[in-house]
Amino acid sequence: MQRLDRLLIVALGCAVAAPALSAPAPAPAQAGQARADAAPETQLCLENRALRAKELSATHGYYVRTSQGWWRNTGPACPAYGPNRALATQSTQNRQCRGDVVNVFDPFSRIQFGGCVLGAWERVSGPPKN
């Protein structure tokens, strides 16, 4: 390869790379603030012993609070969810995972309201205010 050909290849490489190198880097999110284009944090499972509080609503869904904050279950809408209802998971593991079925019941009368399929868990700021 001749010297002129090498110079031409180097010049073309610099011309292609220059716009990418001169583009400003996206600003990092400030502490406690998520970037608008960032995907929400998700998990496939939450440990039962990590659950500190729960909120069930047929319209808003299933929310739990852990030491890491609030999580929303992304499973399909479930009309069995409601306030003052309990969940029983049928799993060999001590956690609630995507695809698990939870049975919804009244903890005092033991009346069964049906089962619901769980989705993945998505971190949220908290359950919606009624």
Side-chain angles (χ1 to χ4, degrees):
M1 190 181 286
Q2 293 182 359
R3 183 171 179 222
L4 185 57
D5 292 338
R6 288 185 197 149
L7 289 175
L8 183 59
I9 290 172
V10 170
L12 283 173
C14 290
V16 170
L21 293 174
S22 65
Q30 294 179 1
Q33 211 176 30
R35 285 184 40 185
D37 61 344
E41 180 182 353
T42 60
Q43 290 188 7
L44 295 180
C45 300
L46 290 179
E47 299 288 329
N48 284 329
R49 66 177 172 256
L51 307 182
R52 307 279 189 254
K54 71 169 175 40
E55 286 199 23
L56 297 171
S57 167
T59 54
H60 300 299
Y62 179 24
Y63 291 80
V64 297
R65 184 174 53 81
T66 68
S67 60
Q68 286 81 36
W70 282 95
W71 296 84
R72 178 182 74 89
N73 191 270
T74 61
C78 183
Y81 290 154
N84 301 320
R85 293 187 179 173
L87 300 177
T89 57
Q90 296 180 348
S91 175
T92 58
Q93 304 166 347
N94 190 25
R95 55 190 183 164
Q96 296 180 22
C97 297
R98 182 179 70 184
D100 286 351
V101 175
V102 293
N103 293 312
V104 184
F105 65 97
D106 181 274
F108 300 108
S109 67
R110 296 295 204 194
I111 293 175
Q112 297 281 328
F113 295 102
C116 303
V117 178
L118 297 179
W121 294 96
E122 175 181 74
R123 187 187 298 267
V124 293
S125 60
K129 305 293 182 218
N130 290 338

